[in-house]
Amino acid sequence: MSTTTAPHHRPRALARATAAALLGLGLLLGGAVATAPTASAAPAAVVTAAPVLAGPLAGALTGALTGPVAPTPPTDPSVQAVPGVTVDVNGVDGKPSSTVTLILAITVLAVAPAVLLMMTAFTKIIVVLSITRNALGLASAPPNQVLAGLALFLTLFIMGPVISEVNETAVQPFLDGSITQAQAFETGAEPVREFMLGQTRPEDLALISRAADQPNPSTRDETPLLTLVPAFVLSELRAAFIIGFVIFVPFLVIDVVVSGSLMAMGMMMLPPVTVSLPFKLLLFVLVDGWGLIITALVGSYS
């Protein structure tokens, strides 16, 4: 018998050889994988996946893994929080905020005319200057703006020590945040009160107290501002009229002399005021009338 394989047996032998080769290759690969360091592969996967999970997708994945969140229980409709308003006067450093400072400045400007007229020397000064102009027989010279400006600066000159004390004891400490608004008002009103008490007659204080159906204060220092301010204005008007009377008398004498002279000369149609005006102006300039009036006004507050 011949040992040569028949042709129809060759495909089976080839298939068995291929299967044996594939099996051997699989065993080799399996051994290589089994002997490889598997511990270092896991951290790489974790490190690679960590940035992905740290992003916005991490929250979604975590929520999906932990499950839905329980809903918030309903609140009682009868119990409602009462809204409140908190006004912080001072700023972060304890000083008044810029808004509060601006509001106070606007308020001071709004009440400044009343304070200027009622609590300072402005009333007496402007009245005396107006009487002087009328005594000279001048209707509009000096004009009202000039008289008001002169009275204003004389008031600042006379009230300078009082204003400085109010600024040092009340305004600056309040702006620094060391005292409150109420303390600043009480401290600042004290120098003004002392100034007005020094210029107010006791008779005027008693008059205003009786008009208000209030008992007379036991001491002058206990007089409230609502009683002191009108009494101070009455005293200032009385003093201004006394000074005005002293100013008016010399010019009245000139008017009488000029009027009598014109009557004696038969010049009845010539107004005496027109003739006496140059003589009154000459007398006022020769005696330095403005200097005498300013000196008398300033000296009345010394």
Side-chain angles (χ1 to χ4, degrees), residues 58 74 76:
D76 189 1

Side-chain angles (χ1 to χ4, degrees), residues 125-143:
I125 296 174
I126 192 66
V127 170
V128 170
L129 295 180
S130 299
I131 291 177
T132 303
R133 184 177 63 179
N134 293 334
L136 289 171
L138 302 173
S140 59

